[in-house]
Amino acid sequence: HTAHCFVAEMMSRHRRLCNISSDCRNSSARGPTRAICFRKKQTIHAQAALDDPFREVSTSRGFLPVLDPARSIGSDVRLAPWEQAMEEIPKLAVATGSLRRTLDALPPFPVDLLPTMSGSQAWRAYQLLSFLPHAYMWCERGKATTPTVLPARLAQPWAAVSKAVGMPPVLVYATYNLLNWRRLDPLGPVALGNIVCLNNFLGGLDEEHFRLVHIDIEQRAAGAIAALQPMQQAAAQGDASGVLNGLHAVTGALRDMQGSLSRMGENCDPYVYYHRVRLPMSGWRGNPALPQGLVYEGVSEEPVQLYGETGAQSSILHAFDAALGIQHPEDWLKSYLADMERHMPPAHRRFLSQLRAAPPGPSGGVRGLCSSSGGELRDAYNDAVTEMEKFRSQHKAFAFSYIAKLNQKETQGTGGSDFMPALAGYCATTAAHLI
């Protein structure tokens, strides 16, 4: 397809933009502002689908990519200026006026390569085309004014590649974290001490460590994620032993995840995080700096609102909720979590749908079997729920120390939510599911 074809498709979709649900956020959505409903199918070719880094939720990696992330899009010489700009974001951000000028001067992105890209290359292109616009929006030194229009040079290829991989054109958890690491020792573990980031915004130890802790958490959850569907199948068959094994895996993973999160302060200082690390993750929905959203030049005539990158887009706790039968009340919080799922890779969304659609069997699923059986099963279920509440409480404490404590007037997280009430709601709902 040509770039014009992609733009035409995207503009057609934008004519059908849906209104923002007022219960999803409390910020101002005035005038012609809209939010995109991204429910697209992948359009990359069959071979690319087979090479999709998120083609499955693996037993060894969980929600991390099946193979280590790609470090470049390809060898076509037209890609070189774009790859170089990606590498130089932290340097360009140092010199006043250099970053946006450099990105404005980039040659056209070779969208014509998209139909022949492998899945890994398409996702790397999506990552590059997410980093550069967010750098353009948030990393220009000395610029007091936030742009309200993203130039077509960035907006058009971003929209095209986003459509190809079935994702929204905004920085998401998958591109910021899941695809943004490499191993120092290729034969060593995916773990703190052996992983570094591929790309940064402003750079520095604090940004690297913040991201690497999340990658370590994802890896530590992998075994439990792999155990969820077998645990559900065991519950449907009344197999108490199988359910017990699954619950122990979830409990153990959550304890390991707490251990990883507790290491955030080792190399990520709250002050540095608040003033340097968090801004480039911001989106343009629920963001006071862009109350009307952002116009994608050549793609949308009206402002578009999209949430930015946030840990709520990790699939781990969504999966644990689904398997353990933890249901959030029908309110703004549940609606927000549903929005966060639309920012996840398509394979992760499918996995969550499968967990929720699993036949409960006569016992009523994992929660039902544990409730009716009592004893060891009930205790194991409660242990898992307790550890999940502890992890969510730990995350809430982190958000307070790294954001709310530094600015009492700050209410919006990088994902656009009123984050402290949201995190408190997660904790309360989880604790309420103890049997």
Side-chain angles (χ1 to χ4, degrees):
H1 298 321
T2 64
H4 293 294
C5 291
F6 282 118
V7 172
E9 288 186 46
M10 290 300 295
M11 292 189 72
S12 176
R13 293 188 65 85
H14 279 271
R15 296 188 188 101
R16 303 191 297 273
L17 296 176
C18 62
N19 290 324
I20 298 170
S21 300
S22 59
D23 60 350
C24 278
R25 63 178 191 81
N26 296 322
S27 61
S28 54
R30 298 184 294 271
T33 309
R34 298 291 185 268
I36 304 176
C37 288
F38 286 93
R39 297 181 177 88
K40 304 170 184 169
K41 295 181 179 179
Q42 287 180 299
T43 57
I44 51 181
H45 60 90
Q47 179 57 39
L50 293 175
D51 186 42
D52 183 346
F54 297 117
R55 62 185 177 272
E56 63 183 41
V57 177
S58 69
T59 57
S60 61
R61 292 282 183 87
F63 292 116
L64 288 171
V66 178
L67 301 175
D68 289 14
R71 298 168 66 174
S72 67
I73 302 174
S75 58
D76 192 294
V77 295
R78 294 174 294 169
L79 294 167
W82 291 81
E83 296 275 15
Q84 183 178 0
M86 176 79 150
E87 292 294 327
E88 293 186 350
I89 288 174
K91 304 299 183 184
L92 294 171
V94 171
T96 302
S98 292
L99 197 154
R100 288 179 187 161
R101 184 173 65 245
T102 299
L103 299 186
D104 283 331
L106 283 170
F109 186 86
V111 182
D112 59 289
L113 296 177
L114 188 56
T116 61
M117 285 183 185
S118 69
S120 294
Q121 289 172 330
W123 274 93
R124 176 61 181 175
Y126 174 57
Q127 182 180 33
L128 179 149
L129 289 166
S130 297
F131 261 70
L132 292 180
H134 275 254
Y136 188 95
M137 294 296 299
W138 307 119
C139 296
E140 177 75 357
R141 186 181 178 192
K143 291 285 186 179
T145 303
T146 302
T148 57
V149 177
L150 184 68
R153 181 71 79 209
L154 298 172
Q156 290 182 344
W158 197 13
V161 175
S162 298
K163 182 180 185 298
V165 297
M167 296 292 288
V170 73
L171 184 73
V172 297
Y173 183 87
T175 46
Y176 187 78
N177 293 312
L178 301 182
L179 288 172
N180 196 8
W181 56 274
R182 66 179 176 88
R183 288 183 283 180
L184 295 174
D185 176 2
L187 301 179
V190 180
L192 288 173
N194 192 46
I195 49 175
V196 294
C197 297
L198 294 177
N199 296 102
N200 288 297
F201 283 104
L202 299 181
L205 178 61
D206 302 81
E207 182 179 341
E208 284 256 342
H209 189 70
F210 173 77
R211 189 179 292 114
L212 297 176
V213 165
H214 286 82
I215 297 164
D216 190 76
I217 287 172
E218 293 286 337
Q219 181 61 54
R220 289 179 180 274
I225 297 300
L228 295 182
Q229 288 182 322
M231 178 176 67
Q232 288 184 313
Q233 294 164 4
Q237 298 165 4
D239 176 6
S241 177
V243 172
L244 201 60
N245 290 337
L247 291 171
H248 288 162
V250 172
T251 300
L254 283 162
R255 287 172 179 161
D256 288 343
M257 290 161 58
Q258 291 169 54
S260 294
L261 187 55
S262 70
R263 298 186 61 184
M264 184 65 75
E266 290 180 8
N267 291 306
C268 183
D269 179 83
Y271 181 88
V272 177
Y273 170 81
Y274 183 82
H275 291 283
R276 281 177 53 88
V277 176
R278 72 186 297 258
L279 181 60
M281 294 183 265
S282 302
W284 22 94
R285 178 174 178 178
N287 188 340
L290 289 167
Q292 299 300 315
L294 180 67
V295 173
Y296 290 60
E297 186 181 28
V299 179
S300 63
E301 297 178 359
E302 297 178 346
V304 171
Q305 292 202 348
L306 287 169
Y307 289 122
E309 189 279 336
T310 171
Q313 293 164 9
S314 168
S315 303
I316 297 173
L317 296 187
H318 294 252
F320 288 168
D321 280 345
L324 296 176
I326 294 177
Q327 299 182 355
H328 295 273
E330 297 286 344
D331 58 11
W332 69 271
L333 180 55
K334 186 170 184 177
S335 179
Y336 176 74
L337 290 174
D339 276 325
M340 293 300 95
E341 289 191 19
R342 286 189 279 274
H343 289 67
M344 297 175 187
H348 295 181
R349 287 178 245 156
R350 288 193 296 271
F351 183 77
L352 295 178
S353 296
Q354 291 166 3
L355 289 175
R356 294 182 181 123
S363 62
V366 173
R367 179 175 168 81
L369 181 63
C370 294
S371 180
S372 61
S373 299
E376 187 178 17
L377 267 183
R378 180 193 59 210
D379 293 344
Y381 178 88
N382 284 342
D383 285 344
V385 172
T386 297
E387 294 304 323
M388 183 144 60
E389 193 279 332
K390 286 181 180 178
F391 181 81
R392 281 177 159 152
S393 293
Q394 185 184 26
H395 184 209
K396 178 173 173 283
F398 167 84
F400 176 78
S401 297
Y402 279 68
I403 304 173
K405 187 177 180 179
L406 293 167
N407 187 346
Q408 298 296 328
K409 296 180 180 180
E410 185 94 26
T411 61
Q412 301 294 322
T414 55
S417 71
D418 294 333
F419 63 92
M420 291 306 290
L423 295 174
Y426 299 152
C427 296
T429 297
T430 304
H433 281 75
L434 289 168
I435 298 174

